[in-house]
Amino acid sequence: MKTLYLIGFMGSGKSTVGDWLKQKSARFHLDTDQMIVDQYGEIASIFKAEGESVFRSYETEMLARVPERNYVISTGGGIVERKENHMLMKNNGLIIFLDTSFAEVLTRLGEDVSRPLWGQADHARYNLYKRRYPVYRSLADMTVHTDQKTPDIIAADIMERLPQSYV
Ligand code: S3P
């Protein structure tokens, strides 16, 4: 079974949906953010001490490491910032975009301080969302709307729509 990659903005539920999808699709689950924390420490500290660009290199390193078969991979919202990440995902599996409205992201994240790029003014957050949205859309093999849906329902939606070769 080929690997499934979950992409989407911060707060779109990639980690929780990945956990449900792991059970429903009988795959293993890895989260690139968690892999980075395990190897390099807290994300906020990496941003502060080494900068975003180093964090992006760690992301690519993790993505290159995940198996092409039998996994669900939850990515960080900024995985689309590097073109080489697009290729790594496109060439190795199915890309699923968790499409969450900005209003819903605002409600879900509130004033979360663990995400460095969320700790900006509202207009800067929205600009980031607007800039990335078309990139998620164009990369996705499947787009799933997530507003007002629970993670288990989203995972069930994905399972129903998986192409036969990925089941
Ligand atoms: C980021 C999203 C975060 C994390 C880091 C940067 C981003 O992951 O990778 O804070 O650039 O959007 P989540 O999407 O899981 O919040």
Side-chain angles (χ1 to χ4, degrees), residues 91-103:
N91 293 339
N92 295 338
L94 192 81
I95 304 180
I96 302 167
F97 171 33
L98 302 188
D99 184 353
T100 309
S101 69
F102 188 69

Side-chain angles (χ1 to χ4, degrees), residues 10 14 33 43 47 55-56 59 76-78 115-117 132:
M10 292 174 259
K14 302 175 297 287
D33 280 345
I43 291 173
F47 266 74
F55 175 79
R56 298 293 170 214
E59 262 184 331
R115 292 169 163 96
L117 294 181
R132 285 182 182 169

Side-chain angles (χ1 to χ4, degrees), residues 8-15 31-33 36 43-44 47 52 55-56 59 74-79 81 109 112 114-118 128 132 136:
F9 201 69
M10 292 174 259
S12 60
K14 302 175 297 287
S15 302
D31 187 313
T32 55
D33 280 345
I36 293 172
I43 291 173
F47 266 74
E52 178 172 351
F55 175 79
R56 298 293 170 214
E59 262 184 331
S74 302
T75 62
I79 206 84
E81 296 289 358
L109 294 187
D112 184 319
S114 65
R115 292 169 163 96
L117 294 181
W118 190 248
L128 186 64
R132 285 182 182 169
Y136 296 132

Side-chain angles (χ1 to χ4, degrees), residues 2-165:
K2 290 191 94 178
T3 286
L4 309 175
Y5 296 93
L6 297 179
I7 64 168
F9 201 69
M10 292 174 259
S12 60
K14 302 175 297 287
S15 302
T16 2
V17 170
D19 214 34
W20 279 94
L21 207 50
K22 150 183 113 172
Q23 295 166 37
K24 291 188 195 284
S25 74
R27 284 171 164 88
F28 302 101
H29 179 218
L30 278 172
D31 187 313
T32 55
D33 280 345
Q34 191 55 51
M35 292 167 79
I36 293 172
V37 171
D38 291 345
Q39 187 162 340
Y40 294 109
E42 288 307 320
I43 291 173
S45 314
I46 298 171
F47 266 74
K48 203 164 168 208
E50 297 168 275
E52 178 172 351
S53 158
V54 170
F55 175 79
R56 298 293 170 214
S57 303
Y58 293 159
E59 262 184 331
T60 303
E61 182 189 334
M62 297 312 156
L63 206 53
R65 195 183 287 174
V66 300
E68 294 165 29
R69 301 191 66 78
N70 303 327
Y71 273 78
V72 176
I73 309 300
S74 302
T75 62
I79 206 84
V80 294
E81 296 289 358
R82 289 220 172 155
K83 278 271 161 54
E84 54 191 311
N85 298 348
H86 298 197
M87 297 318 294
L88 282 168
M89 295 189 286
K90 262 289 175 226
N91 293 339
N92 295 338
L94 192 81
I95 304 180
I96 302 167
F97 171 33
L98 302 188
D99 184 353
T100 309
S101 69
F102 188 69
E104 176 104 359
V105 171
L106 267 178
T107 310
R108 288 188 195 170
L109 294 187
E111 288 310 317
D112 184 319
V113 290
S114 65
R115 292 169 163 96
L117 294 181
W118 190 248
Q120 315 181 67
D122 273 355
H123 72 273
R125 293 168 172 169
Y126 185 57
N127 284 342
L128 186 64
Y129 179 94
K130 264 200 318 196
R131 181 170 64 74
R132 285 182 182 169
Y133 190 85
V135 188
Y136 296 132
R137 279 304 294 245
S138 68
L139 256 185
D141 298 303
M142 182 198 295
T143 296
V144 184
H145 296 276
T146 76
D147 284 15
Q148 277 127 35
K149 289 188 198 157
T150 57
D152 62 320
I153 296 289
I154 297 164
D157 280 1
I158 294 171
M159 285 308 293
E160 263 178 32
R161 294 174 52 196
L162 270 190
Q164 202 53 40
S165 53

